[in-house]
Amino acid sequence: MSENKTFNSLLNTELPPSIDNAIKNLSDKPTASIGTTVSDIWYIVFGWISSVADKRRIQYAYSLEQFRQELENSVSRIPPEKQIEPSFQATAQALENAKYCVEEDELRQMFCALISNSMNSDFASNVHPSFAEIIKQMSVLDAKIIRLFKTRKEIIIGLPVCQFRLNFSGPSSYTPIPDHIFLELPDVDFQLCSQSLSSLSRFGVVSISYEKKLSTPNVYDKFLSHPLYQSMRKYLPAPIDIHIKEGTVELTPLGQSFVKVCILD
């Protein structure tokens, strides 16, 4: 292949393959195929991209090795009498989807739990093929919220949620600000939590209702002291009123199985 033809083919290559080729070309120093001048120009133009790509590969390789070790350790803890052949469908989907998430600790650990528990007779009946796709689509915050439903071996069915409702002309005419207020992660912005709850509801693992509330004493007191609620009470002009509508975010039957299978103790 001629030098010009090789160079033209490189110019016509799309960016991601070009990055891969650049890494290979720079490490191999392919002076015989494209010439020293072209190689030097390539480095000047794309060298910084190659450096970033190398770092990303190293980080990904490290996370992948973590995943392998965590999976081995998790499987090794299954009692021999409870070890079963895993579902090919569930395991293959989990491994395929995990490759996009291994750099996020929370998501990687969920895939680890899903795969290892699919090999455990205590959990196999709760494994569903959709779990791998659900984890793949989760954000780290989604994972943190769903993890709140499990403490040690106990699954908590419901957690408090509320709406701050602005009333304009009676209780039947109101606007929630924002849609869901969730304060179980106090260090996280409540609007981000609201988005995550909507996402988890879309996955079918939680349901959000304002038709019933938790009976735990004082569980809703934290909403009364929230800065947004206090600010609106102070500054909203009459006749606009604000009140709190208490509700619950609960695990669906699918969500109960998901938490049992995909969250390690």
Side-chain angles (χ1 to χ4, degrees), residues 1-255:
M1 182 180 291
S2 68
E3 178 176 313
N4 287 338
K5 186 174 181 181
T6 305
F7 184 51
N8 289 335
S9 67
L10 288 171
L11 291 178
N12 292 327
T13 305
E14 299 207 3
L15 184 57
S18 295
I19 294 173
D20 288 340
N21 290 338
I23 294 169
K24 183 177 186 303
N25 290 343
L26 290 171
S27 61
D28 292 344
K29 194 67 175 178
T31 55
S33 61
I34 62 173
T36 302
T37 301
V38 172
S39 180
D40 289 344
I41 294 173
W42 183 273
Y43 182 81
I44 291 171
V45 175
F46 293 117
W48 66 274
I49 298 177
S50 302
S51 176
V52 172
D54 277 336
K55 290 177 182 178
R56 291 294 299 153
R57 286 183 173 186
I58 292 170
Q59 177 61 44
Y60 186 86
Y62 174 76
S63 299
L64 195 60
E65 177 61 17
Q66 276 188 298
F67 182 40
R68 186 188 65 79
Q69 292 179 2
E70 290 167 357
L71 186 55
E72 285 185 359
N73 292 336
S74 185
V75 171
S76 69
R77 290 194 292 268
I78 303 173
E81 68 276 11
K82 295 184 178 181
Q83 294 179 6
I84 61 173
E85 192 71 22
S87 161
F88 180 84
Q89 180 186 24
T91 304
Q93 287 180 341
L95 288 173
E96 170 64 24
N97 289 329
K99 68 184 182 183
Y100 303 103
C101 307
V102 292
E103 293 181 83
E104 300 292 351
D105 292 345
E106 292 85 356
L107 302 180
R108 186 180 68 246
Q109 290 166 11
M110 281 188 172
F111 277 116
C112 180
L114 171 57
I115 295 170
S116 60
N117 282 334
S118 71
M119 305 178 189
N120 188 329
S121 59
D122 286 347
F123 297 91
S125 62
N126 293 104
V127 176
H128 193 276
S130 67
F131 288 170
E133 188 64 27
I134 290 173
I135 299 172
K136 175 188 171 184
Q137 295 183 56
M138 276 187 172
S139 70
V140 171
L141 181 54
D142 295 342
K144 288 180 177 179
I145 289 178
I146 200 69
R147 186 177 291 277
L148 293 173
F149 287 91
K150 188 170 185 180
T151 59
R152 300 294 293 170
K153 293 186 179 297
E154 180 184 0
I155 295 179
I156 300 169
I157 301 301
L159 292 171
V161 67
C162 85
Q163 288 180 336
F164 297 158
R165 292 183 173 181
L166 299 181
N167 294 330
F168 297 94
S169 58
S172 61
S173 176
Y174 65 86
T175 300
I177 309 276
D179 200 15
H180 311 299
I181 305 287
F182 185 77
L183 302 180
E184 299 304 301
L185 293 173
D187 294 333
V188 181
D189 184 89
F190 66 92
Q191 292 181 326
L192 296 178
C193 288
S194 178
Q195 293 172 8
S196 276
L197 285 182
S198 297
S199 179
L200 291 170
S201 177
R202 179 177 65 84
F203 296 149
V205 294
V206 303
S207 63
I208 305 167
S209 172
Y210 295 98
E211 301 303 317
K212 56 182 177 179
K213 62 181 184 179
L214 300 173
S215 58
T216 308
N218 306 319
V219 72
Y220 294 100
D221 288 357
K222 68 187 77 174
F223 299 102
L224 294 171
S225 59
H226 191 275
L228 177 61
Y229 177 74
Q230 291 295 325
S231 178
M232 287 192 292
R233 279 186 61 85
K234 183 177 180 179
Y235 294 109
L236 279 176
I240 302 175
D241 187 27
I242 178 173
H243 78 279
I244 290 178
K245 181 63 175 178
E246 300 156 338
T248 60
V249 51
E250 295 182 323
L251 292 174
T252 64
L254 181 69

